[in-house]
Amino acid sequence: MAERRSDHTRGGRSRAAALPAGAGARQSGWAAVLAGAAGAWIGARFVEEAEAGRLALWLPVAFALGVSVYFAASNEPALWAAFGLVGATGVVAWAARRGFTTAWLALCLLFVALGFLGGKLATERATAPILAGAMRAEIVGRVIEIEPRARGMRRLTIEIDAFGKLEADARPHKARVAIAGKPEIAAGDQVSLTAFWRPPEGPVRPGGYDFARVAFFKGVGATGFGARDIRNLGPPARVGMAAAANAGLERLRQRLTDRVTRAIGGAEGTVAAALVTGVEGPIPQNVQDELRGAGLSHILSISGLHMALVAGALFWLARAALALAPRVALMWPVKQIAALVALAGATFYLALSGAEVATQRSYVMIAIAFLAIIVGRPALAPRNFALAALIVLAIDPESLMGPSFQMSFAAVAGLVAWFETRRDRPPAPPPADRFGRIRRKIAAAVALAIMTTLIAGFATGPFAAYHFHRVTPYAVVGNALAEPVIGLIVMPSVVAGLLLAPLGLDGLAWAVMGQGLSLVLAIAREVSSWPGAEGGLPAFGEGAMLLFAFGLAWLCLWHTTLRWFALVPLTLATVLAAAPARPDVAVDASGRFAAVRAPSGELATLGPGSGRSFAAKVWIAADGADPPPKGAASDVRCDRDGCVAPLIGGGLVALSWEPSALEEDCRRAALVVTRLTAPPGCSTTAAVIDATVLASTGSLSLFRYGATFKAVAARDPTGRRPWSGTSPSTAPPVEASTLTFSAQKPKEIKHADELAVDPTDDPEDEAAGEEDQ
């Protein structure tokens, strides 16, 4: 053994001796040199970015990060803590002010804290009572908004004066209800009606659209259906100037909507009304489907495209009119005056269209661009875009969480970054002949339309996939064909119609607009009919979405070769999004519906009428199914007491509607879902989700791991936010109180007792979030 060890030692020495002296040190030195060179290269690029003023563009990103951290909290932060965070980071920024890089990082940290405080202040401003539970009651209030819907329905937003027997401190400030038929009601009228009311619904699935949060920031504390005994009490005797002005503007909006719809007629009339006044409700579903399949559904929302076209048309008209007078053109600041006219027109268009959040964001960006023209600065600069984002987030921090903000600013960021790369290129020499110049202009316009569509599609694609789970591969074709018609015919007709309407001469403008929209809808119908025009994508998680957002920001905000490091987060996000976890069981927050993954891999719905429910539509869309599965339901068996279906991996899931079914279901099923209270012994033989669990967690997505089920909940029952309503009136027992569901970390389902929800059935599919979603 000693000889062998000695030989081994000698061999080790000989091998070491065979290496050149200092080889290890040289290898380490080369690594240090390479690392130093990489660091120097990155530092040099960073200095270039700083000299170009690019570091300031990251401050809105930091502010947005602070807002997202605020909304990610499971419990409501204290206001003093938010102010303290700003103060602490402000001290850090002041202390780090002498170092360039450290000062920038500290300033970004301060803006994160400011974003957190902005979210908290927005919540403080919006805080108002939310209906504690479902109830039927008569309300009296003033109508502040009327939205026409499909099938002759109207959705009223009412400012509440009386709500049943509720005291003022428990009475919601606003309520929303859908009605049909008479009486005639105008904005500003006082009405009374009886309906079944409930608090605004939370997400239909974990990670989905949170209507309760959206309604909270709009001041809506109750949603109703089944309205009856509707009476118009006429205008109130006394109302403030602001309320009277808002009511007058809303009545003008209603009249103009009716005028445009009747003048054009058909589906084109409903789409025209959406473009003029922002009223999208009456648009037929098949038209919406065709526009979505062609990648043109964005034209229905009054946002950047419409605001830019309207304001741009006014700017051009005002400038051309002023240039007709030579003295005015020579002596007056024609460009600045035209910018003022365009800004005034954009302000009127904002008010007329209902001032939705997307329109507000577009207006802020347009306003900054025209203000830059007025003071003699470049209109389409990255700093203007960053300032617009910061202003919008400061005014409406909650808008960050919605798809409209994310998609609109992602598209603008991509387009501004692309136009920046083209700005410094020397123009090509013009062709010598006239027809060559014409051909070049046409080719440039077509290429511009295609490139802007491609860039906007690339920038908004991840956000659209995350929120809507759909892809439209022919969107480039649809937009390339339709946008010239929209820009050259439709939107100029909007401007002409609005200018001529006070004179009663707007009929021709609406007729021309109708012809343009007929062509747009024909394009949408044709493109959406192509094979594979629309496909589904399974929902992916927030981690992938955050990586997409960070990668896109990195790609657009830097202008040196540093931007290509964005490929790292973008690639990682693509990998994560390509293989998302798909639940084995989905459970509605009410416990009335569920869905189970069939052996074919599709989701099959459980519960009477579940296939037509809004929850089922959301689940199937999030699962990436297209079209909704039909054959998957063949293994589901239902009777008047409930439904059962097989689980992948063996066993049954039971959806129990009646107490008489619970005893048998608890005995034979691996998973029991019920809107009722499960018997105490049920959890000894099955995993149980009953009323108390759902009252605390909302909707659930379940993942099976052998004999256990892990759950992801729509809300964390250990915490409360103002928009999630009050805590359940019945506290969970000890077994359930140790159960901590999380929207991020799945936990094991155990058992809970005590009924805490009203089991009243909904007679309609008009779910609280259906229209808004």
Side-chain angles (χ1 to χ4, degrees):
M1 292 289 292
E3 290 181 2
R4 283 196 295 271
R5 284 196 298 271
S6 177
D7 291 341
H8 177 75
T9 304
R10 286 196 299 271
R13 287 197 188 106
S14 63
R15 284 192 297 272
L19 294 174
R26 283 200 297 273
Q27 287 180 346
S28 176
W30 278 111
V33 169
L34 290 175
W41 181 85
I42 292 174
R45 303 292 81 72
F46 186 78
V47 170
E48 288 183 43
E49 300 284 1
E51 291 175 346
R54 312 295 291 194
L55 300 187
L57 303 182
W58 285 92
L59 297 182
V61 177
F63 192 93
L65 177 61
V67 172
S68 62
V69 170
Y70 167 78
F71 282 104
S74 58
N75 282 293
E76 185 61 25
L79 183 60
W80 64 265
F83 274 110
L85 185 63
V86 171
T89 53
V91 170
V92 171
W94 175 260
R97 69 189 184 279
R98 298 186 185 280
F100 182 78
T101 304
T102 56
W104 175 66
L105 293 174
L107 190 61
C108 287
L109 190 63
L110 173 60
F111 269 73
V112 171
L114 288 171
F116 190 92
L117 176 61
K120 176 59 181 176
L121 292 176
T123 300
E124 291 292 319
R125 292 194 303 267
T127 298
I130 298 175
L131 194 64
M135 62 184 297
R136 182 171 292 279
E138 179 185 15
I139 69 164
V140 177
R142 185 173 59 86
V143 177
I144 58 176
E145 186 178 5
I146 302 175
E147 301 170 80
R149 317 304 292 177
R151 302 182 302 276
M153 301 286 289
R154 291 169 292 166
R155 190 170 66 182
L156 310 182
T157 302
I158 302 172
E159 197 172 69
I160 303 298
D161 295 324
F163 200 120
K165 297 181 180 180
L166 293 180
E167 299 294 334
D169 58 351
R171 185 171 64 221
H173 290 176
K174 296 178 185 177
R176 179 178 287 174
V177 61
I179 66 171
K182 296 183 178 181
E184 292 297 326
I185 298 172
D189 289 344
Q190 197 164 23
V191 299
S192 70
L193 58 89
T194 300
F196 186 84
W197 304 95
R198 60 186 176 190
E201 298 276 341
V204 175
R205 66 172 190 87
Y209 178 86
D210 192 348
F211 174 70
R213 185 181 64 222
V214 174
F216 172 82
F217 284 101
K218 289 184 176 181
V220 176
T223 59
F225 59 88
R228 64 189 186 194
D229 302 329
I230 306 168
R231 292 180 294 161
N232 187 345
L233 306 179
R238 188 175 301 174
V239 68
M241 290 182 60
N246 289 334
L249 187 60
E250 183 64 24
R251 288 193 294 270
L252 173 62
R253 187 180 177 213
Q254 285 181 252
R255 290 195 300 270
L256 191 56
T257 299
D258 294 339
R259 166 65 176 152
V260 172
T261 304
R262 288 197 307 269
I264 297 177
E268 292 82 359
T270 60
V271 174
L275 297 178
V276 176
T277 61
V279 176
E280 301 179 27
I283 299 175
Q285 186 61 48
N286 67 302
V287 173
Q288 297 185 44
D289 294 340
E290 290 167 357
L291 288 169
R292 185 180 64 242
L296 294 172
S297 56
H298 63 89
I299 71 171
L300 298 179
S301 174
I302 297 178
S303 53
L305 173 65
H306 310 82
M307 190 67 72
L309 289 173
V310 169
L314 289 173
F315 178 75
W316 182 86
L317 287 172
R319 194 172 182 183
L322 291 171
L324 292 176
R327 185 177 182 84
V328 171
L330 292 173
M331 303 297 295
W332 291 13
V334 171
K335 188 176 180 181
Q336 284 77 4
I337 295 174
L340 283 173
V341 172
L343 184 57
T347 304
F348 176 74
Y349 191 41
L350 169 72
L352 184 66
S353 64
E356 290 294 331
V357 176
T359 318
Q360 293 177 27
R361 287 193 295 275
S362 305
Y363 173 78
V364 170
M365 297 182 70
I366 289 292
I368 290 176
F370 282 118
L371 288 174
I373 292 174
I374 292 171
V375 299
R377 307 295 295 176
L380 292 176
R383 60 179 174 273
N384 293 349
F385 160 72
L387 180 60
L390 195 58
I391 291 173
V392 169
L393 286 174
I395 296 173
D396 289 310
E398 67 277 6
S399 65
L400 174 69
M401 311 306 292
S404 182
F405 176 93
Q406 296 168 15
M407 294 176 69
S408 61
F409 273 97
V412 174
L415 292 172
V416 169
W418 181 67
F419 278 111
E420 260 198 310
T421 63
R422 296 179 56 83
R423 186 178 56 190
D424 299 329
R425 293 182 180 180
D433 61 306
R434 179 180 178 184
F435 291 104
R437 290 192 295 270
I438 294 174
R439 285 196 302 270
R440 179 175 170 180
K441 288 182 178 180
I442 294 174
V446 173
L448 181 63
I450 293 174
M451 284 304 300
T452 53
T453 301
L454 282 172
I455 292 167
F458 169 79
T460 60
F463 301 96
Y466 176 75
H467 290 285
F468 307 118
H469 327 298
R470 315 300 291 174
V471 290
T472 52
Y474 304 133
V476 173
V477 179
N479 280 273
L481 294 174
E483 284 188 6
V485 180
I486 296 170
L488 298 175
I489 299 176
V490 175
M491 295 312 296
S493 299
V494 172
V495 176
L498 292 177
L499 293 175
L500 296 173
L503 302 174
L505 303 175
D506 54 337
L508 179 60
W510 304 135
V512 174
M513 183 182 183
Q515 293 300 315
L517 286 175
S518 295
L519 182 54
V520 170
L521 296 185
I523 293 170
R525 191 177 307 112
E526 173 62 28
V527 174
S528 64
S529 68
W530 296 349
E534 186 177 11
L537 287 176
F540 53 86
E542 294 177 355
M545 187 66 261
L546 290 174
L547 285 171
F548 273 126
F550 177 74
L552 180 64
W554 189 279
L555 183 64
C556 294
L557 297 186
W558 297 132
H559 81 297
T560 66
T561 48
L562 278 180
R563 65 169 50 182
W564 300 116
F565 283 103
L567 294 176
V568 176
L570 290 176
T571 301
L572 183 57
T574 303
V575 171
L576 292 176
R582 300 170 72 190
D584 295 298
V585 180
V587 181
D588 181 55
S590 67
R592 297 181 299 116
F593 304 125
V596 60
R597 192 162 302 283
S600 61
E602 297 171 324
L603 283 178
T605 56
L606 284 73
S610 59
R612 301 186 304 272
S613 70
F614 180 59
K617 297 175 185 176
V618 173
W619 293 334
I620 291 170
D623 203 51
D626 186 33
K630 296 179 180 179
S634 59
D635 294 329
V636 176
R637 287 171 171 74
C638 297
D639 56 28
R640 59 182 301 175
D641 295 331
C643 299
V644 294
L647 287 162
I648 295 178
L652 296 174
V653 57
L655 177 68
S656 304
W657 274 59
E658 300 295 337
S660 58
L662 276 173
E663 181 179 354
E664 180 183 1
D665 289 340
C666 291
R667 189 171 57 251
R668 65 174 178 167
L671 172 66
V672 174
V673 178
T674 178
R675 62 178 184 172
L676 307 173
T677 306
C682 191
S683 60
T684 61
T685 58
V688 178
I689 300 174
D690 65 359
T692 304
V693 172
L694 294 171
S696 299
T697 64
S699 57
L700 292 168
S701 294
L702 305 174
F703 301 83
R704 188 175 188 180
Y705 298 94
T708 62
F709 292 88
K710 306 294 182 180
V712 177
R715 64 172 182 264
D716 187 346
T718 64
R720 285 290 164 186
R721 304 303 299 271
W723 49 85
S724 63
T726 57
S727 300
S729 57
T730 304
V734 175
E735 294 89 341
S737 64
T738 60
L739 176 64
T740 55
F741 289 92
S742 169
Q744 302 296 329
K745 298 179 180 179
K747 302 295 182 180
E748 183 175 350
I749 296 176
K750 292 186 179 178
H751 174 66
D753 290 317
E754 306 295 341
L755 180 64
V757 296
D758 189 325
T760 305
D761 295 340
D762 291 349
E764 302 181 10
D765 245 356
E766 185 81 17
E770 180 167 6
E771 298 284 349
D772 300 83
Q773 191 144 305

